[in-house]
Amino acid sequence: MLPAHQRVWTNRNLRMATIEAVGFDMDHTLALYNSATFEQLCFELAIDNLINVKGYPEEIRSISYDRKAVARGLIIDKRHGNIIKVDTHGYVARVRHGGKLLSREERRKYYKRGRIRLSPKRYRVVDTLFDLPEGSLYTELVTLKDSQPKLLKVSFRVLFDDIRNSIDTIHRDGSLKETIVAEIPKYFKRDDLLSKTLDKFRSAGKKLFLLTNSDYSYTCAVMNFILSSKTKNWEEYFDLVVCSAQKPGYFLESGKGTKINGSKCNCFSGGDAFFLESKVGSLGDQILYFGDHTYGDILRSKKSVGWRTAMIVPEVETEVLAAEPVSRSIRALEETQAMIEELSLEKDHLLEIGEDTVEIQQQIESSLSRRAVLRKRIASIYNPYWGSIFREGRVPSRFGGQIRDVACIYTSRVSNLSHYSAHKFFASVVEQMPHE
């Protein structure tokens, strides 16, 4: 049996036999970053910008990058300097202010209704893996601001906006990419199964395209490292390459792309999805697109042009591997929870008919103690502040709910498709209502 961390997971039935063209985003999809070195670089360059351009004190160089400080799907509250985790129903489940995880009573002081209504002026959603360094930097600077208010006199809102602007600047001015291109092997991982996966799709008669927001020069540098070999140039894997796409706007009608001179294949800059469809000779649900961004890649390609969607979620691999040692505890927790519910029903019945409930109450308390032990054991494998990225308690997290709602299939890396037939029928599990 295929190991769980290499599997492809299905939300909606997908018949690969009906897919004529398969497309890919580049960053965090085909090209997997070495997260430790890449995020540390972003963190340090952003600090440099804050000091050299925005006049922040040199003392902020003392802070360290903590990747566990944030995770995808979290929400930054710029008004109060908080980071929030909500479940799929919008309920505020966890709040962290700087380095402090707030109690339920403290959370209620900030969010009295228990839920929040997202607005871009007040909130910023941590949507992509590119957002993690800014979230960690914000957490550390909020902590520093609280402990030394005279050092950082700006408001929580201005603090975040300055960080956001600094991150944008290092992406936009070329300083980040220049550093990365100079040491490509330091910042990217090679996946030996990736070329095999792409060849498998092409051998099955499917057209392949690359659709990325990165410019052609950077795309060449990255793709040359992850795909090129002594016998094959990276561009030979694709029927079409589109750079500088400006997603998500790419999925709205905006015009034809511009041919890139000097490329070895059918390579364009800009354009729109309709121009792309004309080039590959397929449209709508005949196209499957792989991306890592819930909104920019998956939601917009699905809603605007009707493409089928495959989301790349590296965190699946991380959490599945972490959960294997406690798989028995996870099953035991489910059984214990079901037992508590049955015992509670029985207790209510005994109370109604006037029978003694001492014995059954003892069983409930014993089960509750067991549940607490199991929960603590399971929680220890996940992020110490936020738990599982996909769940909050017994329901999906906001991020988990988004994956469920917008991705036809999802997996941790593109090369996991090498373990499946190019004509595979990915069948979703039967959805059940609670009474079933």
Side-chain angles (χ1 to χ4, degrees):
M1 181 180 291
L2 190 64
H5 69 278
Q6 295 179 347
R7 289 182 60 184
V8 174
W9 306 92
T10 309
N11 289 318
R12 273 165 294 287
N13 290 351
L14 175 66
R15 295 182 184 275
M16 289 298 295
T18 68
I19 298 297
E20 298 178 358
V22 183
F24 306 90
D25 177 40
M26 183 179 76
D27 296 288
H28 293 299
T29 300
L30 283 180
L32 301 178
Y33 283 82
N34 183 332
S35 58
T37 55
F38 172 73
E39 291 165 16
Q40 182 69 40
L41 174 64
C42 293
F43 188 84
E44 292 173 357
L45 289 179
I47 289 177
D48 286 342
N49 185 272
L50 286 172
I51 294 171
N52 298 330
V53 178
K54 298 190 176 299
Y56 276 63
E58 280 285 340
E59 284 86 344
I60 70 172
R61 290 194 192 277
S62 64
I63 63 177
S64 302
Y65 180 57
D66 179 8
R67 193 172 198 266
K68 295 180 179 180
V70 289
R72 283 205 282 177
L74 301 181
I75 299 165
I76 294 173
D77 180 352
K78 294 186 282 186
R79 179 185 297 173
H80 297 301
N82 296 335
I83 298 183
I84 309 164
K85 184 181 182 183
V86 301
D87 66 19
T88 191
H89 304 298
Y91 173 75
V92 177
R94 305 187 194 205
V95 178
R96 195 168 181 236
H97 181 86
K100 181 186 178 184
L101 199 62
L102 303 188
S103 67
R104 187 177 186 277
E105 292 71 25
E106 289 171 320
R107 294 200 307 264
R108 282 289 182 176
K109 291 178 182 178
Y110 288 110
Y111 313 104
K112 295 185 178 2
R113 297 181 183 274
R115 287 173 171 78
I116 58 174
R117 180 176 296 178
L118 291 179
S119 66
K121 289 185 178 180
R122 177 173 174 181
Y123 298 105
R124 163 82 177 181
V125 179
V126 181
D127 264 336
T128 76
L129 291 166
F130 283 129
D131 294 334
L132 299 184
E134 76 179 33
S136 177
L137 183 51
Y138 189 57
T139 299
E140 296 300 324
L141 290 183
V142 165
T143 301
L144 188 61
K145 174 177 168 58
D146 286 344
S147 63
Q148 300 183 54
K150 293 182 179 180
L151 185 67
L152 296 177
K153 298 180 180 180
V154 296
S155 68
F156 291 125
R157 182 190 300 277
V158 171
L159 178 61
F160 178 81
D161 289 343
D162 284 347
I163 293 171
R164 174 94 287 278
N165 183 263
S166 294
I167 294 287
D168 275 346
T169 298
I170 64 173
H171 280 275
R172 189 173 56 247
D173 68 6
S175 58
L176 177 63
K177 290 181 178 179
E178 182 181 344
T179 304
I180 291 172
V181 169
E183 296 183 272
I184 285 280
K186 181 178 179 180
Y187 296 103
F188 286 94
K189 304 174 183 177
R190 277 186 65 95
D191 184 343
D192 293 335
L193 287 177
L194 182 58
S195 58
K196 176 183 175 182
T197 307
L198 300 181
D199 282 336
K200 191 171 191 174
F201 282 135
R202 295 198 81 177
S203 297
K206 302 183 190 302
K207 292 186 177 180
L208 301 188
F209 64 89
L210 177 67
L211 175 62
T212 175
N213 283 351
S214 292
D215 60 66
Y216 181 66
S217 175
Y218 185 70
T219 299
C220 283
V222 175
M223 295 300 293
N224 188 58
F225 172 72
I226 68 169
L227 269 184
S228 290
S229 64
K230 293 181 180 179
T231 59
K232 197 170 186 178
N233 181 274
W234 74 268
E235 293 185 50
E236 296 177 58
Y237 287 95
F238 303 97
D239 298 280
L240 177 69
V241 172
V242 178
C243 301
S244 304
Q246 297 185 349
K247 296 176 291 181
Y250 190 83
F251 299 109
L252 303 174
E253 192 167 0
S254 60
K256 295 181 178 181
T258 304
K259 190 79 166 66
I260 296 177
N261 296 325
S263 64
K264 297 179 180 179
C265 74
N266 212 16
C267 195
F268 292 84
S269 176
D272 61 29
F274 307 98
F275 175 70
L276 184 152
E277 288 179 339
S278 71
K279 287 294 181 182
V280 298
S282 303
L283 52 82
D285 61 5
Q286 298 169 327
I287 298 174
L288 174 65
Y289 185 59
F290 284 79
D292 68 290
H293 188 184
T294 52
Y295 181 75
D297 292 325
I298 305 301
L299 180 62
R300 285 274 55 92
S301 65
K302 187 182 190 71
K303 295 285 188 182
S304 299
V305 290
W307 293 357
R308 303 306 299 273
T309 53
M311 188 164 173
I312 298 303
V313 191
E315 296 94 335
V316 170
E317 182 173 319
T318 303
E319 291 205 4
V320 166
L321 288 173
E324 286 179 355
V326 295
S327 58
R328 290 185 179 179
S329 295
I330 292 173
R331 289 193 295 272
L333 178 61
E334 294 171 354
E335 294 169 359
T336 302
Q337 184 62 47
M339 181 180 295
I340 291 171
E341 292 173 2
E342 289 298 323
L343 290 171
S344 296
L345 283 172
E346 179 64 19
K347 179 185 175 182
D348 291 342
H349 174 67
L350 292 175
L351 286 171
E352 286 180 358
I353 62 176
E355 294 287 337
D356 183 74
T357 61
V358 173
E359 183 178 346
I360 200 166
Q361 181 60 36
Q362 290 175 342
Q363 294 179 48
I364 291 174
E365 290 175 359
S366 175
S367 297
L368 288 172
S369 296
R370 175 170 169 73
R371 183 180 71 176
V373 170
L374 290 169
R375 281 180 171 176
K376 186 174 181 180
R377 186 180 305 160
I378 295 167
S380 67
I381 70 170
Y382 297 118
N383 186 297
Y385 313 118
W386 305 111
S388 169
I389 189 175
F390 304 105
R391 299 199 65 78
E392 182 52 46
R394 301 183 67 186
V395 300
S397 63
R398 181 181 184 274
F399 183 66
Q402 285 182 321
I403 295 173
R404 177 196 60 196
D405 293 341
V406 304
C408 299
I409 59 174
Y410 64 99
T411 188
S412 61
R413 57 181 68 196
V414 171
S415 62
N416 287 343
L417 273 292
S418 67
H419 306 298
Y420 297 83
S421 165
H423 300 294
K424 166 77 175 174
F425 173 44
F426 291 102
S428 62
V429 296
V430 177
E431 294 186 22
Q432 292 183 317
M433 294 184 67
H435 74 276
E436 297 177 306

